[in-house]
Amino acid sequence: MTYEQLANSWPTFSQSIIQFMSELGFDKLALECDHTALRVNSTHAAQQLQHEFAEHGTIISNNMINGRPILIIELHQPLLLGGMTIDCVELPYPSDKTYPVEGWEHIELVLKSDAKECETLSRDLLAVLPNLKPVLAGETDVKVKLSSPKGDKERLANPTIAFKKNGICIKVHPHGIKAVIASETEQ
């Protein structure tokens, strides 16, 4: 996996994401897409991408999350996703999980909320998108995962709801990645 391969695959990935956003109803909300994320299966691939991304952005966070390094790279030139711009890329070093496809894996949307846990975030999401009730209840072919990932230094609770279908994923959380990174320096 190279930066060039990622750049070439972005249009196909972004079109799939836009269609999935529409299916879920997220296209009706004015949500910020704070970052997109990659998946790689080897440390070598992650190191290569880290080196290549250095030419296209700046690492603004290098944090241990769930026992592995995860880099956040702020791009010099944002990616375009429909009418949205995405200025950060998450590059996780691999865990013991092997992904069937390396490359773009998900985007993350910010739903402004005071939620500190997934249940409150789910209620806040249903308040603005009631059509998601059967999805959140597990009654559709969309897989839903609730989680609260936390970096070693994070001080800001950022519960996450992941929606996955056909190998693509959209995650929703209450705080953007830059706010989470800023929380790491707070005492």
Side-chain angles (χ1 to χ4, degrees), residues 9-137:
S9 65
W10 178 256
T12 301
F13 173 76
S14 62
Q15 190 57 44
S16 296
I17 287 287
I18 289 167
Q19 289 171 347
F20 193 30
M21 285 177 64
S22 177
E23 178 183 332
L24 294 171
F26 289 129
D27 59 333
K28 295 175 181 67
L29 305 176
L31 300 178
E32 170 197 358
C33 183
D34 68 322
H35 71 281
T36 185
L38 303 169
R39 291 295 179 249
V40 296
N41 289 326
S42 74
T43 299
H44 174 74
Q47 290 169 335
Q48 179 68 28
L49 283 173
Q50 180 179 346
H51 175 73
E52 291 182 29
F53 267 104
E55 298 175 23
H56 303 278
T58 304
I59 295 172
I60 59 172
S61 177
N62 183 350
N63 203 351
M64 293 297 286
I65 301 175
N66 298 332
R68 64 186 173 142
I70 296 188
L71 308 177
I72 304 297
I73 302 150
E74 185 172 25
L75 301 170
H76 301 314
Q77 182 73 34
L79 293 166
L80 299 177
L81 181 70
M84 294 184 278
T85 57
I86 306 172
D87 61 356
C88 290
V89 173
E90 174 185 323
L91 172 57
Y93 272 63
S95 63
D96 52 6
K97 181 177 179 179
T98 300
Y99 295 93
V101 178
E102 292 183 293
W104 302 112
E105 198 257 351
H106 71 261
I107 63 161
E108 299 204 18
L109 301 172
V110 180
L111 175 71
K112 297 294 183 194
S113 166
D114 294 327
K116 299 201 180 345
E117 76 290 313
C118 292
E119 293 72 26
T120 304
L121 184 59
S122 294
R123 279 195 304 273
D124 291 350
L125 184 55
L126 284 174
V128 295
L129 275 179
N131 64 299
L132 282 179
K133 189 172 183 176
V135 176
L136 289 171

